[in-house]
Amino acid sequence: MSTPSTEPTPAVEPEPTTGATTGATTTDVTHSASEGTLANVEATDTEPGWVARHTATLIALMVAVIVAAVAIAGVMVYKNNEDSANSDTEAAFAATVQEQGASLETVECNGGTCAAVINGQAYTVLVQEDDNGDQHFGVSPYTGD
């Protein structure tokens, strides 16, 4: 059997560790979170401004306004083109009626149909456009209320 020794065991000091990024040897691993250049600056909890809090809402509203403006402009352009096409059809039909020697009192076109009063009688006019852009008119007496 062995006998325990009475000599004190020497204290083992930890070896210094090497920092991964700087390569410097450090022995003190406890640092205060407030050390550095901003250690003496008091932390202030300021609430962000109204614009900062509602940025997403403001962007969504601006996009909605832009989309609505583009839609309104698109409808206006479409309506203007439709009115122009209807006006051209009315002028072409009036010229056709004049060529035949009849008296056109009124004509109102909407798309591919027109309503006309020729020599005091109401007529329905169907408009067909061929591949060359020429318009052909089918005229029938109006029967209805």
Side-chain angles (χ1 to χ4, degrees):
M1 280 188 113
S2 67
T3 60
S5 99
T6 58
E7 294 179 21
T9 55
V12 178
E13 290 194 28
E15 291 186 25
T17 59
T18 304
T21 57
T22 60
T25 305
T26 59
T27 56
D28 183 19
V29 289
T30 60
H31 294 286
S32 172
S34 64
E35 287 182 357
T37 57
L38 298 175
N40 296 331
V41 177
E42 292 183 23
T44 58
D45 291 334
T46 60
E47 189 174 312
W50 187 87
V51 173
R53 288 190 318 251
H54 299 291
T55 300
T57 304
L58 290 172
I59 290 171
L61 287 173
M62 284 190 272
V63 168
V65 167
I66 291 170
V67 168
V70 168
I72 290 170
V75 167
M76 290 175 63
V77 167
Y78 172 78
K79 184 67 175 156
N80 187 31
N81 288 342
E82 281 292 311
D83 289 345
S84 177
N86 289 338
S87 172
D88 293 343
T89 302
E90 290 169 3
F93 182 69
T96 302
V97 170
Q98 291 293 330
E99 286 175 4
Q100 294 178 359
S103 169
L104 179 66
E105 295 174 20
T106 62
V107 62
E108 185 176 320
C109 295
N110 187 10
T113 61
C114 298
V117 177
I118 302 171
N119 294 334
Q121 292 207 338
Y123 291 94
T124 300
V125 181
L126 297 176
V127 182
Q128 186 176 21
E129 191 169 323
D130 62 12
D131 294 337
N132 297 329
D134 295 332
Q135 292 180 330
H136 304 280
F137 304 104
V139 180
S140 64
Y142 179 76
T143 56
D145 296 341

